[in-house]
Amino acid sequence: KKENIKKEINPEYLKEGNTLTVAEALSLFGVYALSQRAGELRRAGWPIESEMVRVASGKRVAQYRFRECIPCP
């Protein structure tokens, strides 16, 4: 039986001012489904926002970051 292992992203990483794209989330945290994990953080009250950015290859990808909040969860 295959275990369902869900990888998490650390909201503190974003809170420190870092941003994440799907490629970065995979490399740093082993997370494939960044949009789903970001949605989970949003539903938990974390102020995560995203925007489309152009990467070196010329592709446009979603980049996630922490929006300032007072107080934060």
Side-chain angles (χ1 to χ4, degrees), residues 12-51:
E12 295 299 324
Y13 178 81
L14 295 172
K15 194 173 178 182
E16 291 170 358
N18 299 301
T19 60
L20 276 179
T21 63
V22 171
E24 293 165 338
L26 180 58
S27 172
L28 294 170
F29 301 108
V31 170
Y32 286 95
L34 179 57
S35 62
Q36 286 83 357
R37 302 297 79 82
E40 291 168 357
L41 289 174
R42 286 181 184 125
R43 287 187 291 282
W46 289 94
I48 306 297
E49 59 186 19
S50 63
E51 69 174 324

